[in-house]
Amino acid sequence: NEKELQDVVKRQEEKMLQLIDKSGEVTVLKEEVFQLKRSLQRAETEAKVLWEEMREQRPKEDAVYVQERVLQQQEMGKLRLLLLEKVDENQRLSDK
């Protein structure tokens, strides 16, 4: 009886260790997804601003203006991302 109990405890410990390993993998993957989304957002922002500027065919003197627009769009993207992170965090907290 004691042997069976020890076997059950051992199996439970193994399952817990497997879950911890999987949880760590999920955390790493979530971070990678987060970084990829951030990179994609930056690239989309730059492409959007540059496309708009090309349509307007601004002269070369306005390169500073274009750079400012890119930076503004990136900042807006960062703020949107922070907002989404807070919304997700609040949702996780309310789910508990």
Side-chain angles (χ1 to χ4, degrees), residues 7-8 18 23-24 33 43 51 57 60-61 69 75 78 84 87 90 93 95:
D7 288 342
V8 169
Q18 288 174 347
S23 174
V33 167
W51 180 252
Q57 295 191 4
K60 289 184 180 181
E61 303 89 64
R69 288 276 321 264
E75 189 63 28
K78 288 178 189 176
L84 291 174
V87 167
N90 287 342
L93 291 174
D95 288 347

mmCIF file of all heavy atoms in Angstrom, residues 7-8 18 23-24 33 43 51 57 60-61 69 75 78 84 87 90 93 95:
data_model
loop_
_atom_site.group_PDB
_atom_site.id
_atom_site.type_symbol
_atom_site.label_atom_id
_atom_site.label_comp_id
_atom_site.label_asym_id
_atom_site.label_seq_id
_atom_site.Cartn_x
_atom_site.Cartn_y
_atom_site.Cartn_z
ATOM 1 N N ASP A 7 4.519 5.389 -5.527
ATOM 2 C CA ASP A 7 4.483 5.409 -6.989
ATOM 3 C C ASP A 7 3.562 6.513 -7.500
ATOM 4 O O ASP A 7 3.887 7.219 -8.457
ATOM 5 C CB ASP A 7 4.029 4.054 -7.540
ATOM 6 C CG ASP A 7 5.092 2.975 -7.393
ATOM 7 O OD1 ASP A 7 6.275 3.338 -7.184
ATOM 8 O OD2 ASP A 7 4.733 1.783 -7.487
ATOM 9 N N VAL A 8 2.413 6.664 -6.867
ATOM 10 C CA VAL A 8 1.465 7.701 -7.259
ATOM 11 C C VAL A 8 2.083 9.091 -7.057
ATOM 12 O O VAL A 8 2.007 9.956 -7.929
ATOM 13 C CB VAL A 8 0.135 7.570 -6.476
ATOM 14 C CG1 VAL A 8 -0.742 8.797 -6.679
ATOM 15 C CG2 VAL A 8 -0.601 6.306 -6.889
ATOM 16 N N GLN A 18 6.827 18.063 -15.822
ATOM 17 C CA GLN A 18 6.530 18.195 -17.250
ATOM 18 C C GLN A 18 5.711 19.467 -17.503
ATOM 19 O O GLN A 18 5.958 20.186 -18.467
ATOM 20 C CB GLN A 18 5.766 16.974 -17.760
ATOM 21 C CG GLN A 18 6.620 15.734 -17.868
ATOM 22 C CD GLN A 18 5.804 14.496 -18.244
ATOM 23 O OE1 GLN A 18 4.572 14.511 -18.190
ATOM 24 N NE2 GLN A 18 6.498 13.427 -18.603
ATOM 25 N N SER A 23 5.251 24.968 -19.375
ATOM 26 C CA SER A 23 4.918 26.347 -19.033
ATOM 27 C C SER A 23 6.071 27.278 -19.403
ATOM 28 O O SER A 23 5.860 28.360 -19.934
ATOM 29 C CB SER A 23 4.617 26.456 -17.541
ATOM 30 O OG SER A 23 4.432 27.793 -17.163
ATOM 31 N N GLY A 24 7.296 26.840 -19.132
ATOM 32 C CA GLY A 24 8.466 27.637 -19.502
ATOM 33 C C GLY A 24 8.570 27.814 -21.001
ATOM 34 O O GLY A 24 8.877 28.903 -21.490
ATOM 35 N N VAL A 33 6.626 35.710 -29.760
ATOM 36 C CA VAL A 33 5.479 36.246 -30.492
ATOM 37 C C VAL A 33 5.351 37.739 -30.235
ATOM 38 O O VAL A 33 5.133 38.526 -31.162
ATOM 39 C CB VAL A 33 4.174 35.504 -30.106
ATOM 40 C CG1 VAL A 33 2.947 36.237 -30.609
ATOM 41 C CG2 VAL A 33 4.202 34.084 -30.642
ATOM 42 N N ALA A 43 7.623 47.780 -38.752
ATOM 43 C CA ALA A 43 7.777 47.718 -40.204
ATOM 44 C C ALA A 43 6.528 48.240 -40.909
ATOM 45 O O ALA A 43 6.624 48.981 -41.896
ATOM 46 C CB ALA A 43 8.086 46.291 -40.638
ATOM 47 N N TRP A 51 4.774 55.149 -47.675
ATOM 48 C CA TRP A 51 3.822 55.059 -48.787
ATOM 49 C C TRP A 51 3.028 56.358 -48.910
ATOM 50 O O TRP A 51 2.858 56.885 -50.011
ATOM 51 C CB TRP A 51 2.898 53.875 -48.589
ATOM 52 C CG TRP A 51 1.894 53.727 -49.684
ATOM 53 C CD1 TRP A 51 0.565 53.971 -49.619
ATOM 54 C CD2 TRP A 51 2.154 53.317 -51.033
ATOM 55 N NE1 TRP A 51 -0.022 53.738 -50.825
ATOM 56 C CE2 TRP A 51 0.935 53.332 -51.721
ATOM 57 C CE3 TRP A 51 3.306 52.933 -51.713
ATOM 58 C CZ2 TRP A 51 0.822 52.982 -53.058
ATOM 59 C CZ3 TRP A 51 3.197 52.585 -53.049
ATOM 60 C CH2 TRP A 51 1.972 52.610 -53.703
ATOM 61 N N GLN A 57 4.551 62.758 -52.905
ATOM 62 C CA GLN A 57 5.782 63.125 -53.610
ATOM 63 C C GLN A 57 6.376 64.412 -53.064
ATOM 64 O O GLN A 57 6.583 65.396 -53.769
ATOM 65 C CB GLN A 57 5.519 63.237 -55.110
ATOM 66 C CG GLN A 57 5.146 61.918 -55.715
ATOM 67 C CD GLN A 57 5.137 61.953 -57.222
ATOM 68 O OE1 GLN A 57 5.486 62.947 -57.829
ATOM 69 N NE2 GLN A 57 4.746 60.860 -57.820
ATOM 70 N N LYS A 60 12.852 66.316 -51.442
ATOM 71 C CA LYS A 60 13.865 65.709 -50.575
ATOM 72 C C LYS A 60 14.102 66.527 -49.318
ATOM 73 O O LYS A 60 14.522 65.989 -48.305
ATOM 74 C CB LYS A 60 15.175 65.521 -51.338
ATOM 75 C CG LYS A 60 15.092 64.440 -52.385
ATOM 76 C CD LYS A 60 16.411 64.215 -53.058
ATOM 77 C CE LYS A 60 16.272 63.108 -54.100
ATOM 78 N NZ LYS A 60 17.523 62.842 -54.768
ATOM 79 N N GLU A 61 13.838 67.820 -49.354
ATOM 80 C CA GLU A 61 14.056 68.652 -48.167
ATOM 81 C C GLU A 61 13.171 68.197 -47.005
ATOM 82 O O GLU A 61 13.445 68.509 -45.855
ATOM 83 C CB GLU A 61 13.741 70.129 -48.438
ATOM 84 C CG GLU A 61 14.517 70.757 -49.564
ATOM 85 C CD GLU A 61 13.818 70.584 -50.900
ATOM 86 O OE1 GLU A 61 12.727 71.106 -51.081
ATOM 87 O OE2 GLU A 61 14.398 69.885 -51.742
ATOM 88 N N ARG A 69 7.449 61.810 -38.954
ATOM 89 C CA ARG A 69 6.186 61.072 -39.090
ATOM 90 C C ARG A 69 6.368 59.604 -38.731
ATOM 91 O O ARG A 69 5.523 59.003 -38.056
ATOM 92 C CB ARG A 69 5.659 61.165 -40.536
ATOM 93 C CG ARG A 69 5.113 62.491 -40.964
ATOM 94 C CD ARG A 69 3.660 62.709 -40.559
ATOM 95 N NE ARG A 69 2.804 61.543 -40.669
ATOM 96 C CZ ARG A 69 2.013 61.259 -41.700
ATOM 97 N NH1 ARG A 69 1.939 62.055 -42.724
ATOM 98 N NH2 ARG A 69 1.270 60.177 -41.689
ATOM 99 N N GLU A 75 5.657 55.729 -32.146
ATOM 100 C CA GLU A 75 5.251 56.032 -30.773
ATOM 101 C C GLU A 75 3.777 55.681 -30.562
ATOM 102 O O GLU A 75 3.412 55.117 -29.526
ATOM 103 C CB GLU A 75 5.503 57.512 -30.467
ATOM 104 C CG GLU A 75 5.316 57.869 -29.020
ATOM 105 C CD GLU A 75 6.298 57.172 -28.088
ATOM 106 O OE1 GLU A 75 7.417 56.829 -28.495
ATOM 107 O OE2 GLU A 75 5.921 56.956 -26.925
ATOM 108 N N LYS A 78 3.584 51.997 -30.178
ATOM 109 C CA LYS A 78 4.029 51.560 -28.844
ATOM 110 C C LYS A 78 2.930 51.783 -27.816
ATOM 111 O O LYS A 78 2.687 50.944 -26.950
ATOM 112 C CB LYS A 78 5.283 52.327 -28.421
ATOM 113 C CG LYS A 78 6.532 51.939 -29.147
ATOM 114 C CD LYS A 78 7.694 52.797 -28.689
ATOM 115 C CE LYS A 78 8.927 52.603 -29.533
ATOM 116 N NZ LYS A 78 10.014 53.500 -29.135
ATOM 117 N N LEU A 84 -2.871 47.473 -25.136
ATOM 118 C CA LEU A 84 -3.300 46.081 -25.311
ATOM 119 C C LEU A 84 -2.719 45.180 -24.227
ATOM 120 O O LEU A 84 -3.400 44.281 -23.732
ATOM 121 C CB LEU A 84 -2.897 45.569 -26.692
ATOM 122 C CG LEU A 84 -3.642 46.183 -27.867
ATOM 123 C CD1 LEU A 84 -3.045 45.684 -29.184
ATOM 124 C CD2 LEU A 84 -5.124 45.868 -27.800
ATOM 125 N N VAL A 87 -4.742 45.748 -21.140
ATOM 126 C CA VAL A 87 -6.054 45.112 -21.279
ATOM 127 C C VAL A 87 -5.918 43.605 -21.056
ATOM 128 O O VAL A 87 -6.713 43.003 -20.334
ATOM 129 C CB VAL A 87 -6.663 45.425 -22.669
ATOM 130 C CG1 VAL A 87 -7.860 44.542 -22.953
ATOM 131 C CG2 VAL A 87 -7.046 46.891 -22.761
ATOM 132 N N ASN A 90 -5.257 42.961 -17.356
ATOM 133 C CA ASN A 90 -6.490 43.108 -16.584
ATOM 134 C C ASN A 90 -7.416 41.919 -16.806
ATOM 135 O O ASN A 90 -8.070 41.441 -15.876
ATOM 136 C CB ASN A 90 -7.196 44.412 -16.955
ATOM 137 C CG ASN A 90 -6.490 45.625 -16.412
ATOM 138 O OD1 ASN A 90 -5.672 45.539 -15.495
ATOM 139 N ND2 ASN A 90 -6.784 46.785 -16.969
ATOM 140 N N LEU A 93 -6.089 39.006 -14.826
ATOM 141 C CA LEU A 93 -6.347 39.187 -13.400
ATOM 142 C C LEU A 93 -7.823 38.949 -13.069
ATOM 143 O O LEU A 93 -8.147 38.392 -12.034
ATOM 144 C CB LEU A 93 -5.926 40.580 -12.946
ATOM 145 C CG LEU A 93 -4.405 40.827 -12.941
ATOM 146 C CD1 LEU A 93 -4.132 42.289 -12.626
ATOM 147 C CD2 LEU A 93 -3.712 39.914 -11.947
ATOM 148 N N ASP A 95 -9.784 36.987 -14.681
ATOM 149 C CA ASP A 95 -10.086 35.568 -14.907
ATOM 150 C C ASP A 95 -9.729 34.716 -13.689
ATOM 151 O O ASP A 95 -10.221 33.611 -13.551
ATOM 152 C CB ASP A 95 -9.342 35.032 -16.128
ATOM 153 C CG ASP A 95 -9.922 35.567 -17.428
ATOM 154 O OD1 ASP A 95 -11.028 36.143 -17.395
ATOM 155 O OD2 ASP A 95 -9.259 35.428 -18.473
#
